[in-house]
């Protein structure tokens, strides 16, 4: 689970952005897990719009660092500084 820079705007009590949550997914073994988490999130936060985008691993890392996605799912560890991975 990786977090990007815009996620705070989504969970903030003050409207800061107004854009949908964007999730990046790298195809692979984490697909099923990612979609389960996304379904649960949408069920709990029906008022939030969500975009799901497919990436290659390196492109997902770049999108996170450039704040083009809010969080992403991949089955690979990152070596980039500035990307939190849990």
């Amino acid at each position: 689970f990786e977090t990007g820079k815009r996620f705070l705007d989504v969970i903030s009590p003050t409207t800061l952005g107004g854009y949908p949550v964007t999730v990046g997914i790298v195809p692979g073994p984490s697909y099923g897990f990612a979609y389960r988490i996304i379904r649960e999130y949408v069920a709990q936060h029906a008022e939030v719009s969500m975009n799901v985008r497919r990436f290659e691993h390196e492109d997902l890392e770049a999108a996170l660092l450039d704040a083009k996605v809010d969080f992403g799912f991949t089955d690979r560890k990152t070596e980039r500084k500035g990307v939190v991975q849990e």
Side-chain angles (χ1 to χ4, degrees):
F1 183 75
E2 301 171 1
T3 56
K5 298 175 186 173
R6 297 187 313 159
F7 191 64
L8 287 178
D9 288 347
V10 175
I11 61 173
S12 171
T14 306
T15 303
L16 299 173
Y19 43 75
V21 175
T22 301
V23 180
I25 299 178
V26 175
S30 64
Y31 239 41
F33 173 77
Y35 278 108
R36 182 173 54 84
I37 297 297
I38 291 168
R39 276 193 306 273
E40 290 174 10
Y41 183 86
V42 170
Q44 293 176 6
H45 304 281
E47 73 284 357
V48 176
S49 298
M50 181 173 291
N51 295 322
V52 179
R53 298 183 56 202
R54 181 178 159 177
F55 289 90
E56 295 300 320
H57 181 78
E58 293 79 12
D59 296 331
L60 175 60
E61 290 179 328
L64 284 162
L65 292 170
D66 292 340
K68 293 181 180 174
V69 296
D70 298 297
F71 56 95
F73 294 90
T74 183
D75 60 349
R76 288 178 44 191
K77 285 200 168 261
T78 185
E79 294 181 16
R80 292 186 187 218
K81 295 184 189 300
V83 177
V84 176
Q85 193 168 25
E86 296 179 20

